[in-house]
Amino acid sequence: MKRNMLLVAWVLAGLIFSLSFAYSSTGRMPIRSHKAVFGICINEIMASNETTIADDDGDFEDWVELWNLSNEPVNLESWGLSDKASEPFRWVFPNVVLQPDQFMLVWCSKKDRAVAGAPLHTNFGISASGEALYLTHPSGEQADFVPATALQTDISLGRYPDGTGPWFFFDEPTPGTLNTTQHYSELLAPPVFSQSGGFYTEGFDLELNHPDPEVVIVYTLDGSEPDLGNLNGTTYQYKNSYPKEPGQPFGTFLENSFQSYLYEAALEIQDRSPEPNKMSLMSSTYDFSPTYFPNYQIQKGMVIRAKAFKPGSITSDTVSNTYFVSDEGRERYLLPVISISAQEDSFFDYDKGIYTAGIRFDTWRQNNPNTTPAGSTASIGNWVRSGVQWEYPANFELFETYNSSAALNQRIGFRIHGGITRMLSRKSLRIYARDIYGTSSLNHSIFKDQSYNSYKRLILRNSGNDYDKTLIKDATIQEICGKLNFDIQASQPSVVFVNGEYWGLHNIRERYDKHYLARVYGVDGENLDILERQSDIDEGDRVHFNMMMSYIRSHDLSNASSYEHVQTLMDMENFTDYYIAEIFSRNHDWPNNNIKYWRLRTDSYIPNAPLGHDGRWRWLMYDMDGSYPNAASSSNNSLTRALDTNVHSSVILNALLQNDGFRTTFINRFADLMNSHFQPSRIENIILKNKAAIAPEVPEHLERWKTHSITLWNTYINWMIAFANDRPEHQRRHIRNYFDITSDITITLDVNNDQQGTVRINSIDICEDTPGIPEAPYPWDGIYFHNIP
């Protein structure tokens, strides 16, 4: 009652506040004066810009506002702006003049643009967790300084009065103008939980505390953002039935709600599994009668999200924890566990949800009353929405195997990921770490076979077209190819919960984008061409690639000089390995789809540059779900299919095979890989290893989503093994027929002392370090081709 009366008093008082606080680590700002020695000051900054103002590219980037509070124009040429005291001229201004009383925005976007007369962009960003800024006169003397201060999304830090006053927080930023909106001296710290989130074998009482006794703590139990204005709940509409077939009626609207509560007493943490299902009983397809709703109470965790409120202060960030209570504790799951907490209407609201068919499908059906969804229309639904406008905030927790506490717990953004697989009931999610969510990276060694410990983007993949089959195919085939001359995406199977409800198996995967290439190759992520399929552009443009294709089409590559020139345009070893792997795998969804290639934008080829820095095109492997289908398809001639397809990569391969040297290299490399990396015994071992990793979790997953049975799951995996065993014989026959080779030959290699060295044949060393070569290999037999030198 006391807290409710206090809440009413706040409303009646109009949230009157005091500005008499001294600076402290709790987010209170100092009152101190400032004098601009050189006439220029930093007047306002923003470190987490989600909706406030867009730059010239339409991106919402960090920004710094400068103001000339003197009576004279000031030329900023050679002034420095930096986030490092040790490097005051990290970014340098061009020849730009700031007139008296004029404001200027500088985008801290990492785009590094310093052209007079154009929008200015620094080569660094501002951390929302708190980062000092330094403005330096060309003489080296500091002109102004901003203290490191943690900021929330769309909250700015600015001076009041402008130019000379102390720093305050603004929830209505004023980029490019005077700071005249309401200002606050305090940004509240979040509540403190008496127990960390994680796995427990017994329930307990959870207390929510705050160091400031004047705050009110608001919490939620349904994954939604705590909101002082949502104590009575918010209702939204959704549907569980859609007219998939012509003539079926439109489904009726149903209602669900999410709600916030005032914290008044300890919360009872217990096993929620016996409680009714909620999100798992909402439709994620356009089926008229969905068959994947669980008919039992699925496993659940308790999601607690809390936020602090106080008059005259900016509300705290939300703190989120998930609690799993069961007799087994952490041993309930033998894989990493991920908990996604998000406002449920972002998933299932009829109008704005992105995990549901929603209004987009009903609109399509109204316009196409006699059409059955198929082909290009199969993915019609709210889930096709893409782009930052359909990215929703959420909280992301990662619990490593055998670890009861979260290794990661942070706010992220999520979108739906994939192509046609967006229509499936269990969808892939793309995870974004951004400054606007508090930090721009996921700092953890997520993939144990990698040395990286920081990621910008991740995918929680639903297994794509392998969704209702092995659940391991794409990751397994990429692992088989892991030592070849092209990139693969690291993978880690995991168990996912959404708003505390069991959501089943998802593979944590890397995502190919500019952040991936910058991390792996050390290239400039803002200076790349990344292309997809035949015409799609992820980054940059197609100018260089089209030039290369034009050259290949107009020149005879049997000519040595023409072939040598193409070698300066594309990485030949990368292309060869990539094409061989796709052909051997019999990927039926390639090369028309699932093909991606990239280059660092350079003026010309740079010989002897580090890998990826020479300006040549390289190919990336992904989405191998259409491969290794079954033993019967092991005889499919994907070599002929690949060469007869009228797509860019097929044009390239056909042209290259006119060159005698490349043709010999291609055939021998194919033989080398079938004698090593693609050895059936090696492939079978990898398949069985990955099967064993998820086997304990598969029964619960299949029961939850009702896709197929354990028996059928085993059958699909056995088909992969059968394909691996049968494929080499058929593949060699395809090569002999296409290149008019009379027969295979067996080559035996032996040494009289294997301690004194190894033998290399073509591109492989016959030693245990080469994938597919046994530990004690000699004498070693390899199958090659007659009359191929």
Side-chain angles (χ1 to χ4, degrees):
M1 178 65 71
K2 180 179 179 181
R3 290 186 181 275
N4 289 331
M5 292 176 65
L6 178 60
L7 177 61
V8 173
W10 285 354
V11 174
L12 294 176
L15 300 179
I16 298 173
F17 64 94
S18 168
L19 300 178
S20 60
F21 298 115
Y23 180 76
S24 74
S25 60
T26 62
R28 294 171 178 171
M29 297 306 300
I31 292 183
R32 63 179 180 85
S33 61
H34 166 73
K35 182 178 181 180
V37 178
F38 299 100
I40 301 294
C41 74
I42 300 176
N43 198 52
E44 190 177 8
I45 71 166
M46 178 170 283
S48 182
N49 174 20
E50 183 174 10
T51 61
T52 300
I53 186 172
D55 68 6
D56 46 309
D57 297 325
D59 301 326
F60 289 83
E61 303 285 1
D62 305 343
W63 50 266
V64 171
E65 177 193 80
L66 301 184
W67 185 38
N68 183 355
L69 66 166
S70 74
N71 296 320
E72 301 292 334
V74 178
N75 191 326
L76 293 176
E77 185 173 13
S78 299
W79 285 54
L81 188 62
S82 178
D83 58 349
K84 295 182 179 179
S86 60
E87 194 180 345
F89 294 96
R90 184 176 183 186
W91 184 81
V92 178
F93 284 84
N95 181 14
V96 292
V97 176
L98 203 56
Q99 298 296 330
D101 208 31
Q102 183 181 1
F103 293 93
M104 171 188 289
L105 280 190
V106 179
W107 299 99
C108 296
S109 63
K110 304 179 184 179
K111 297 178 182 180
D112 196 13
R113 301 172 187 169
V115 179
L120 302 179
H121 292 257
T122 67
N123 52 3
F124 62 87
I126 312 173
S127 173
S129 60
E131 191 168 38
L133 286 174
Y134 306 87
L135 180 66
T136 306
H137 188 267
S139 66
E141 187 175 349
Q142 190 178 103
D144 203 359
F145 164 76
V146 183
T149 307
L151 291 172
Q152 297 176 10
T153 300
D154 287 329
I155 301 295
S156 70
L157 184 67
R159 296 186 187 276
Y160 187 82
D162 291 85
T164 59
W167 294 100
F168 289 99
F169 299 104
F170 292 81
D171 59 1
E172 295 183 51
T174 55
T177 62
L178 293 171
N179 299 333
T180 56
T181 57
Q182 187 68 66
H183 52 283
Y184 302 86
S185 60
E186 186 176 15
L187 194 159
L188 292 176
V192 178
F193 287 37
S194 62
Q195 295 270 31
S196 61
F199 290 79
Y200 294 85
T201 55
E202 295 180 348
F204 57 90
D205 288 340
L206 177 71
E207 295 182 351
L208 309 183
N209 301 297
H210 198 278
D212 187 342
E214 297 182 18
V215 307
V216 162
I217 297 175
V218 178
Y219 70 94
T220 63
L221 301 171
D222 51 23
S224 62
E225 280 285 335
D227 184 355
L228 200 55
N230 193 35
L231 299 180
N232 293 322
T234 297
T235 299
Y236 66 94
Q237 290 186 318
Y238 70 101
K239 283 188 175 184
N240 274 348
S241 180
Y242 292 89
K244 177 180 178 179
E245 300 297 333
Q248 290 178 331
F250 287 85
T252 58
F253 281 105
L254 305 172
E255 288 188 348
N256 252 327
S257 64
F258 50 91
Q259 185 174 1
S260 298
Y261 304 91
L262 285 176
Y263 176 74
E264 297 178 321
L267 307 178
E268 183 180 359
I269 301 300
Q270 58 186 345
D271 183 5
R272 280 190 55 239
S273 300
E275 295 180 8
N277 301 331
K278 186 179 184 185
M279 286 186 67
S280 56
L281 297 180
M282 289 189 270
S283 172
S284 55
T285 64
Y286 47 53
D287 291 311
F288 184 70
S289 300
T291 59
Y292 46 84
F293 291 167
N295 54 4
Y296 65 101
Q297 309 301 70
I298 60 175
Q299 191 71 16
K300 299 180 183 71
M302 285 192 72
V303 175
I304 312 294
R305 309 189 75 186
K307 184 181 291 190
F309 294 81
K310 178 183 175 181
S313 301
I314 291 183
T315 304
S316 76
D317 279 331
T318 299
V319 59
S320 307
N321 279 325
T322 304
Y323 299 88
F324 299 95
V325 181
S326 68
D327 292 340
E328 305 98 322
R330 183 61 185 92
E331 295 181 5
R332 176 72 173 75
Y333 296 103
L334 302 180
L335 292 174
V337 171
I338 290 173
S339 174
I340 302 290
S341 308
Q343 202 151 282
E344 61 193 55
D345 59 344
S346 62
F347 277 80
F348 292 111
D349 181 84
Y350 179 74
D351 292 306
K352 69 178 185 179
I354 58 174
Y355 211 89
T356 185
I359 190 172
R360 282 185 60 94
F361 182 81
D362 277 352
T363 300
W364 176 85
R365 170 54 73 206
Q366 289 169 355
N367 295 329
N368 300 271
N370 301 315
T371 304
T372 297
S376 61
T377 65
S379 60
I380 295 297
N382 285 11
W383 51 70
V384 302
R385 292 164 166 168
S386 60
V388 70
Q389 67 270 34
W390 297 109
E391 178 179 317
Y392 286 111
N395 197 74
F396 179 94
E397 295 169 81
L398 169 64
F399 301 88
E400 288 288 10
T401 305
Y402 302 121
N403 196 327
S404 293
S405 299
L408 276 177
N409 186 340
Q410 66 185 75
R411 291 183 72 235
I412 50 92
F414 75 93
R415 305 181 195 176
I416 303 299
H417 175 82
I420 200 70
T421 59
R422 291 170 180 249
M423 66 181 287
L424 299 174
S425 55
R426 176 175 49 89
K427 307 183 191 306
S428 296
L429 297 178
R430 194 180 302 169
I431 304 300
Y432 290 81
R434 302 185 190 275
D435 279 332
I436 61 173
Y437 303 123
T439 179
S440 61
S441 57
L442 295 130
N443 296 319
H444 182 63
S445 298
I446 292 171
F447 306 104
K448 300 305 176 277
D449 57 348
Q450 288 190 343
S451 59
Y452 307 113
N453 58 11
S454 184
Y455 300 84
K456 298 283 189 183
R457 309 284 187 266
L458 292 173
I459 298 168
L460 299 182
R461 195 167 187 268
N462 66 353
S463 293
N465 289 315
D466 188 45
Y467 168 91
D468 56 354
K469 297 179 177 66
T470 74
L471 305 172
I472 62 170
K473 185 176 289 187
D474 177 54
T476 297
I477 295 173
Q478 292 201 43
E479 182 180 347
I480 291 165
C481 301
K483 300 296 184 181
L484 302 184
N485 293 307
F486 53 80
D487 292 79
I488 65 164
Q489 298 164 295
S491 179
Q492 171 60 58
S494 69
V495 173
V496 173
F497 284 77
V498 177
N499 285 351
E501 295 195 15
Y502 177 81
W503 222 251
L505 288 166
H506 291 66
N507 287 310
I508 312 173
R509 306 298 299 271
E510 293 178 285
R511 179 174 184 253
Y512 289 142
D513 58 17
K514 63 182 180 180
H515 302 292
Y516 168 90
L517 296 171
R519 169 168 53 85
V520 173
Y521 290 94
V523 295
D524 177 7
E526 302 300 329
N527 192 34
L528 298 172
D529 291 327
I530 307 177
L531 309 181
E532 196 169 349
R533 291 184 286 270
Q534 307 310 304
S535 59
D536 294 351
I537 300 172
D538 289 354
E539 299 285 343
D541 57 49
R542 303 189 69 90
V543 173
H544 185 276
F545 187 81
N546 289 342
M547 176 273 294
M548 180 181 74
M549 292 304 302
S550 178
Y551 185 91
I552 289 173
R553 286 189 170 97
S554 60
H555 288 75
D556 180 3
L557 300 193
S558 65
N559 179 280
S561 61
S562 298
Y563 178 72
E564 290 171 2
H565 179 67
V566 173
Q567 287 181 298
T568 70
L569 304 177
M570 55 180 283
D571 185 323
M572 210 64 75
E573 288 186 349
N574 166 267
F575 179 84
T576 301
D577 274 12
Y578 170 76
Y579 226 81
I580 288 172
E582 291 278 5
I583 291 170
F584 180 85
S585 300
R586 193 268 187 196
N587 187 354
H588 74 83
D589 202 19
W590 172 93
N592 293 302
N593 298 309
N594 299 338
I595 185 165
K596 184 173 286 195
Y597 34 108
W598 72 280
R599 68 180 282 268
L600 177 67
R601 296 166 71 99
T602 60
D603 292 335
S604 60
Y605 169 58
I606 304 175
N608 303 316
L611 186 66
H613 290 249
D614 55 19
R616 296 190 296 172
W617 288 99
R618 294 178 58 83
W619 278 257
L620 306 162
M621 173 176 274
Y622 74 108
D623 281 14
M624 299 298 290
D625 309 308
S627 309
Y628 285 56
N630 51 51
S633 61
S634 64
S635 62
N636 291 166
N637 194 335
S638 47
L639 172 62
T640 300
R641 176 178 177 270
L643 287 165
D644 288 347
T645 304
N646 187 29
V647 295
H648 298 315
S649 54
S650 298
V651 171
I652 295 171
L653 183 58
N654 274 297
L656 292 174
L657 287 174
Q658 303 308 307
N659 183 278
D660 291 341
F662 178 85
R663 185 167 59 253
T664 297
T665 298
F666 180 81
I667 295 170
N668 277 332
R669 181 62 173 168
F670 221 138
D672 284 345
L673 294 183
M674 286 190 287
N675 288 322
S676 56
H677 296 66
F678 299 157
Q679 273 288 328
S681 59
R682 174 178 182 260
I683 294 175
E684 182 173 349
N685 286 338
I686 294 175
I687 292 172
L688 293 177
K689 172 182 69 70
N690 291 342
K691 174 187 177 183
I694 69 169
E697 318 299 346
V698 169
E700 185 174 5
H701 171 88
L702 297 183
E703 185 181 19
R704 162 67 177 87
W705 289 103
K706 302 180 181 179
T707 51
H708 53 307
S709 66
I710 284 286
T711 300
L712 197 52
W713 177 68
N714 281 297
T715 297
Y716 286 131
I717 290 178
N718 290 335
W719 283 359
M720 285 184 69
I721 294 172
F723 178 93
N725 282 296
D726 294 350
R727 185 61 167 171
E729 178 183 352
H730 295 298
Q731 187 66 75
R732 290 187 176 101
R733 175 170 50 83
H734 300 158
I735 293 171
R736 292 196 306 270
N737 290 343
Y738 189 85
F739 293 104
D740 196 22
I741 299 170
T742 57
S743 65
D744 297 339
I745 58 172
T746 299
I747 293 179
T748 301
L749 302 178
D750 203 359
V751 296
N752 59 9
N753 187 339
D754 60 9
Q755 300 302 306
Q756 295 188 351
T758 60
V759 177
R760 170 177 291 180
I761 179 167
N762 297 323
S763 64
I764 56 173
D765 294 334
I766 308 306
C767 65
E768 61 179 299
D769 292 337
T770 300
I773 303 298
E775 183 176 353
Y778 296 101
W780 178 85
D781 290 338
I783 301 175
Y784 287 88
F785 296 101
H786 182 68
N787 278 343
I788 300 299

